[in-house]
């Protein structure tokens, strides 16, 4: 048998995000023996660019790192700036941050599940999932005027407010879609064809998940609980009740189930946040100069833990700013998930980590 | 959570580290200047099931400051290490989670990572020199996927080499 390698990518593996897979097949020619990945196709040097902009301009740059986590980047960045400037935010702003984040999470999870359905050629399921997501996209458009980049956060608070009509429309969207999500869960829990197709594929064991330091739904599908919202609460999460979703099998099916159940938890969080929404300001009334200092902040993005480090020197530009996105940790785990799976499933397994390459390479 | 704080306090005391907790005590900052101490600490942290979140570096007069961000069940331990010779021992043999972030250190700052099990470039093309944070490259030269005439001529040249 010759040692032919299978090459996939860099373009159009699962998403339009580029990764170059070099796969060495087993002797049967159908399954994967080992996989090597080449990265760096969308590295843009954003960490250098942010050093040339001031703190307000960087709100916009951080939002442009990635579309699907575009709320968490400015959010976490703001938290770091606020820590250095020792700002304490109005209560209402903290709750509104949770609202923006959870709506974003629901839409993001549904998008990933839609891609999963697409990759297993279940077009009907894909349509249903993306139609459900559409309601949340419309909601974003109604509240923030944008369907992807919300521009919800600013240093010292948020840039949007919710009136009675908007709160009612959020609740309406939640009520309308809750039963749909439950129906999807029933499908993923019981449908024999679906379970046979994605169950046992791309397994990541609990030990490996711990060793590799994976985060987000990928970690929780392998039974590792590192949900930042619970472990190191921020914004208003310590005042709200929700459960961390854990599964044990660590396969593509478990990762899909974690995301589905998490949508229900996000709905719970949204209801609570909207009901308990305090009155008052949404942003601090005055702008502050940012003193010298350093801070680290983190949030739970839809894909997992997002970490920002910021160092300032008293000027109005950062001295060093670095961030680490969830896919950065989950990517290397593909080398463990893929061996002995069918070569046909590379895209399916790749999609199951909810990859965000433009985030990772910056 | 509380026992973790007690344990962390014990460790920092026995090793005589300069440390302080942030007011809400969800992160701890420590400073060291000894690379051996880094490895010693990393070994202790490994037994406590820590996870490497990220390693940041920045330039400081006569050297670099590295900040290792470890997660310990929700508490962030930020360990600062000052180096002057652009080299640091790898902690990837202890923490698989440090693999990428260490490679990025050498890519962006040209810091040598001693004993790294897989010291390949992470994102940048081999043709670029190391330590590039403040350099300007056009996007088409910085990205490793140069979809251009240049890439094509590289492929053709390699093909020529393969065929002897």
């Amino acid at each position: 048998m010759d040692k032919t390698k299978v090459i996939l990518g860099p373009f159009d593996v699962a998403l339009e995000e580029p990764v170059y897979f070099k796969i060495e097949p087993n002797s049967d020619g159908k399954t994967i023996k080992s996989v090597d990945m080449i990265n760096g196709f969308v590295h843009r040097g954003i960490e250098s660019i942010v050093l040339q902009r001031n703190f307000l301009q960087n709100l916009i740059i951080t939002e442009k790192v990635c579309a699907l986590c575009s709320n968490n980047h400015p959010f976490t960045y703001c938290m770091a700036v606020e820590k250095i400037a020792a700002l304490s935010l109005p209560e209402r702003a903290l709750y509104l941050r949770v609202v923006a984040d959870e709506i974003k999470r629901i839409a993001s999870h549904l998008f990933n599940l839609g891609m999963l359905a697409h990759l297993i050629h279940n077009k009907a399921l894909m349509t249903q999932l993306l139609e459900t997501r559409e309601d949340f996209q419309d909601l974003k458009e109604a509240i923030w005027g944008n369907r992807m980049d919300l521009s919800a956060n600013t240093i010292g608070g948020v840039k949007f407010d919710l009136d009675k009509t908007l709160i009612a429309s959020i609740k309406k969207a939640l009520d309308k879609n809750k039963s749909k999500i439950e129906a999807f869960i029933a499908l993923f829990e019981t449908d024999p064809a679906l379970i046979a197709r994605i169950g046992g594929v791309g397994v990541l064991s609990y030990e490996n998940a711990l060793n590799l330091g994976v985060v987000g739904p990928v970690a929780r599908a392998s039974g590792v609980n590192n949900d930042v919202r619970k472990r190191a609460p921020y914004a208003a999460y310590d005042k709200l009740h929700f459960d961390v979703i854990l599964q044990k099998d660590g396969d593509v099916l478990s990762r899909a189930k974690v995301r589905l159940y998490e949508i229900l938890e996000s709905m719970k969080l949204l209801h609570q946040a909207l009901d308990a929404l305090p009155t008052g300001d949404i942003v601090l009334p005055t702008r502050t100069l940012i003193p010298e200092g350093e801070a680290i902040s983190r949030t739970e993005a839809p894909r997992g833990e997002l970490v920002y480090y910021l160092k300032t020197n008293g000027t109005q530009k950062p001295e060093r700013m670095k961030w680490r996105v969830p896919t950065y940790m989950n990517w290397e785990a593909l080398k463990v998930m893929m061996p002995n799976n069918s070569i046909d499933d590379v895209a399916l397994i790749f999609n199951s980590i909810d990859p965000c390459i433009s985030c990772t390479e910056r | 959570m509380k026992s973790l704080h007690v344990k962390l306090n014990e460790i920092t005391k026995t090793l005589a580290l300069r440390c302080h907790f942030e007011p809400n005590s969800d992160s701890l900052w420590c400073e060291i200047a000894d690379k051996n101490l880094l490895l010693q600490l990393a070994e202790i942290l490994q037994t406590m099931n820590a996870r490497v979140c990220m390693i940041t570096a920045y330039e400081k007069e006569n050297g670099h400051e590295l900040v290792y961000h470890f997660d310990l069940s929700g508490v962030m331990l930020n360990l600062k290490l000052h180096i002057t010779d652009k080299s640091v021992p790898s902690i990837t043999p202890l923490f698989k989670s440090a693999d990428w972030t260490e490679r990025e250190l050498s890519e962006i700052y040209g810091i040598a990572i001693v004993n790294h099990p897989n010291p390949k470039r992470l994102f940048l093309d081999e043709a670029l020199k190391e330590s590039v944070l403040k350099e300007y490259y056009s996007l088409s030269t910085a990205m490793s996927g140069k979809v251009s005439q240049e890439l094509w001529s590289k492929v053709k040249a390699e093909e020529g080499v393969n065929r002897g």
Side-chain angles (χ1 to χ4, degrees):
Chain A
M1 186 85 196
D2 73 80
K3 288 257 172 78
T4 309
K5 284 207 169 172
V6 180
I7 304 290
L8 273 178
F11 298 105
D12 291 326
V13 186
L15 295 154
E16 57 276 79
E17 306 229 35
V19 182
Y20 187 86
F21 288 97
K22 277 203 231 167
I23 296 155
E24 194 183 322
N26 282 321
S27 56
D28 62 3
K30 286 179 188 152
T31 52
I32 302 163
K33 188 176 174 196
S34 68
V35 58
D36 195 17
M37 291 166 280
I38 297 176
N39 334 318
F41 298 93
V42 282
H43 178 77
R44 290 146 293 163
I46 305 185
E47 279 185 14
S48 180
I49 295 172
V50 293
L51 305 183
Q52 300 154 35
R53 305 282 193 278
N54 70 31
F55 292 108
L56 279 175
Q57 289 170 321
N58 277 334
L59 272 174
I60 313 219
I61 307 271
T62 48
E63 184 139 53
K64 298 288 180 286
V65 175
C66 152
L68 284 158
C69 312
S70 60
N71 188 53
N72 281 86
H73 280 280
F75 183 3
T76 322
Y77 160 70
C78 284
M79 280 168 57
V81 179
E82 287 153 5
K83 238 186 194 180
I84 291 177
L87 303 178
S88 70
L89 265 58
E91 279 283 294
R92 189 175 177 84
L94 297 177
Y95 278 76
L96 288 173
R97 283 184 170 183
V98 170
V99 171
D101 218 26
E102 294 306 320
I103 290 180
K104 200 71 182 150
R105 188 184 321 277
I106 294 175
S108 175
H109 280 359
L110 283 169
F111 182 74
N112 178 260
L113 292 159
M115 290 312 293
L116 168 103
H118 165 66
L119 289 168
I120 56 171
H121 308 294
N122 190 338
K123 297 288 184 253
L125 181 59
M126 173 189 170
T127 317
Q128 288 168 17
L129 283 160
L130 290 187
E131 261 175 10
T132 314
R133 172 176 183 260
E134 203 59 19
D135 275 353
F136 292 92
Q137 295 298 91
D138 289 344
L139 205 53
K140 290 193 233 165
E141 196 180 325
I143 301 171
W144 295 282
N146 245 337
R147 293 164 69 85
M148 287 313 278
D149 291 352
L150 309 183
S151 196
N153 292 280
T154 185
I155 296 164
V158 291
K159 293 188 201 163
F160 71 102
D161 204 354
L162 296 176
D163 57 17
K164 272 189 189 141
T165 334
L166 284 173
I167 292 178
S169 66
I170 297 175
K171 288 196 167 178
K172 201 176 139 202
L174 296 180
D175 293 339
K176 182 183 161 199
N177 288 300
K178 188 166 181 244
S179 55
K180 286 194 190 173
I181 302 295
E182 283 163 348
F184 290 135
I185 290 177
L187 190 73
F188 278 79
E189 288 283 7
T190 57
D191 185 74
L194 187 61
I195 293 171
R197 177 68 188 87
I198 61 174
V201 176
V203 176
L204 182 71
S205 68
Y206 175 80
E207 288 73 25
N208 280 327
L210 268 188
N211 278 341
L212 289 159
V214 294
V215 293
V218 175
R220 295 194 283 278
S222 299
V224 177
N225 171 11
N226 49 19
D227 193 319
V228 185
R229 292 174 294 173
K230 268 277 192 283
R231 287 253 150 146
Y234 52 95
Y237 284 108
D238 54 341
K239 298 181 196 79
L240 305 170
H241 302 285
F242 70 103
D243 294 318
V244 174
I245 306 298
L246 293 179
Q247 297 273 327
K248 354 180 245 298
D249 294 343
D251 54 1
V252 174
L253 178 64
S254 304
R255 293 193 268 278
K257 284 200 278 193
V258 166
R259 293 195 179 96
L260 276 169
Y261 283 111
E262 280 189 1
I263 295 176
L264 290 184
E265 295 304 315
S266 293
M267 289 179 162
K268 252 163 66 180
L269 280 166
L270 280 169
H271 273 297
Q272 290 172 51
L274 292 174
D275 288 340
L277 198 61
T279 50
D281 288 341
I282 54 165
V283 64
L284 294 175
T286 48
R287 279 198 197 155
T288 342
L289 291 177
I290 312 301
E292 188 183 345
E294 65 184 327
I296 185 119
S297 62
R298 52 178 165 166
T299 61
E300 181 76 19
R303 286 157 190 72
E305 177 194 67
L306 172 68
V307 186
Y308 264 73
Y309 170 84
L310 178 67
K311 182 172 167 58
T312 56
N313 54 10
T315 65
Q316 291 316 297
K317 288 177 188 171
E319 186 183 336
R320 178 73 170 111
M321 188 165 145
K322 182 171 175 62
W323 57 99
R324 198 229 67 220
V325 304
T327 305
Y328 197 93
M329 303 310 296
N330 295 343
W331 196 332
E332 192 71 12
L334 289 172
K335 286 187 182 164
V336 179
M337 293 177 191
M338 287 200 178
N340 298 322
N341 281 277
S342 163
I343 294 176
D344 296 342
D345 286 344
V346 167
L348 181 65
I349 300 171
F350 179 47
N351 180 69
S352 76
I353 68 163
D354 205 355
C356 187
I357 310 304
S358 74
C359 253
T360 309
E361 299 186 352
R362 290 152 284 136
Chain B
M1 195 80 164
K2 207 151 195 189
S3 62
L4 180 66
H5 282 105
V6 174
K7 182 132 196 224
L8 279 173
N9 271 330
E10 261 171 38
I11 294 169
T12 54
K13 232 179 232 162
T14 38
L15 294 172
L17 300 178
R18 266 204 305 169
C19 288
H20 69 273
F21 269 106
E22 268 182 25
N24 55 358
S25 55
D26 66 353
S27 41
L28 174 69
W29 295 82
C30 297
E31 279 181 47
I32 57 173
D34 177 3
K35 291 176 195 170
N36 294 324
L37 195 57
L38 168 74
L39 286 177
Q40 208 181 327
L41 255 168
E43 271 171 32
I44 299 173
L45 290 171
Q46 196 211 14
T47 61
M48 296 169 69
N49 289 326
R51 164 169 70 87
V52 178
C53 285
M54 179 166 84
I55 307 172
T56 314
Y58 54 88
E59 277 173 61
K60 208 177 169 185
E61 70 280 2
N62 71 42
H64 287 87
E65 199 90 61
L66 305 185
V67 195
Y68 290 75
H69 309 281
F70 292 95
D71 172 82
L72 283 147
S73 345
V75 175
M76 191 75 104
L77 169 59
N78 307 285
L79 187 64
K80 265 194 197 175
L81 172 68
H82 186 69
I83 55 166
T84 47
D85 56 352
K86 285 191 129 190
S87 111
V88 71
S90 172
I91 57 167
T92 306
L94 291 166
F95 295 96
K96 188 78 185 72
S97 44
D99 186 335
W100 278 34
T101 184
E102 281 193 337
R103 278 155 70 188
E104 205 174 339
L105 284 181
S106 37
E107 205 165 83
I108 293 183
Y109 286 100
I111 294 168
I113 310 291
V114 183
N115 269 334
H116 194 291
N118 181 24
K120 282 194 299 190
R121 282 290 177 98
L122 185 61
F123 295 136
L124 299 180
D125 195 274
E126 296 278 355
L128 302 181
K129 66 177 171 70
E130 287 187 329
S131 186
V132 292
L133 186 71
K134 291 191 177 139
E135 307 274 330
Y136 172 76
Y137 289 94
S138 68
L139 197 61
S140 57
T141 44
M143 297 201 300
S144 67
K146 287 175 274 184
V147 188
S148 63
Q149 195 62 37
E150 205 181 320
L151 177 66
W152 181 235
S153 46
K154 210 165 141 187
V155 171
K156 289 304 258 186
E158 271 179 23
E159 204 175 46
V161 173
N162 288 342
R163 287 184 182 169

